[in-house]
Amino acid sequence: MNFKDAMYLAIYLTKLHMNWFNSQEIEDNVYIPSKFTLMVGTEKMTDYKKQEYKDTYKGTKKILVFAADEANMTMANGKIFSTGNHPIETLLPMIHMRDAGFTFDIATVSGRPVPLEMWAYPTEDKNIRNFHNEIRDELENPKMIKDIKNLDNYVGIFIPGGHGAMMNLPTSVELGKLLHEAHEK
C-alpha cells in the first residue's frame, strides 16, 4: 500500500471511529504507536542481503555494543511510551558487521537485559529473527558499562538507535569516559 492510499484508508477508518490515529495502551498507562503509525512506519521485512567480502576481519578484538536498558519512557503528559532499542536499527547493522567478520560484546548501564521495541520488530524477516536468536543470551545478560575499564579489547563501538538510547546512556559517566578514549585513539 502506498502512502497516499494509506492516508485515505486512515481517514476513512478514523471517520468510522476506529481510533487508528490514537496511541495504543498495552498495559496501565503504557503506550505504543497508533495502528496507523505502525502500518506506515514499520516493516515486516528488512532489505538485508548478505554481502560477500573478499577479506573479512580476522582479528580477535570485538565490537562493543552500548545498548539501552530502559524500556519505558515517561512523557511530559505522564503517559509512558514503550520503547527500548529499535530492532532493525540494532540487529541489521550487527548482521552486516557479523558478515564482515566481527563479533560483539554487549553492554548496558545497569547490566539489565536489552529491551527491543517489539512493536517495530520485522516479524517476517528470518535473517533478523535468526540473528536475534543467535545473540539472545548476550542481549539478556549484557556486561555493565562500568565494568569495562578501557577499549583495549575492542576494534569499534556501536550504539544502536531507538528512543531508549535517549534515557540513561547520555548521562552515563562511564560511557562518556569510554567514548572519549575512543575519540583519542
Side-chain angles (χ1 to χ4, degrees), residues 109-122:
V109 172
S110 69
R112 289 190 310 262
V114 174
L116 295 176
E117 295 173 336
M118 295 309 289
W119 49 263
Y121 200 90

Side-chain angles (χ1 to χ4, degrees), residues 125-137:
D125 194 310
K126 66 179 170 65
N127 294 300
I128 293 287
R129 194 171 48 249
N130 290 344
F131 183 69
H132 184 194
N133 286 333
E134 285 175 33
I135 66 166
R136 187 174 303 276
D137 187 56

Side-chain angles (χ1 to χ4, degrees), residues 48 91-100 104 127-128 131:
Y48 170 75
L91 301 172
L92 186 59
M94 291 177 74
I95 291 173
H96 285 291
M97 289 183 265
R98 178 210 54 199
D99 291 349
F104 309 95
N127 294 300
I128 293 287
F131 183 69

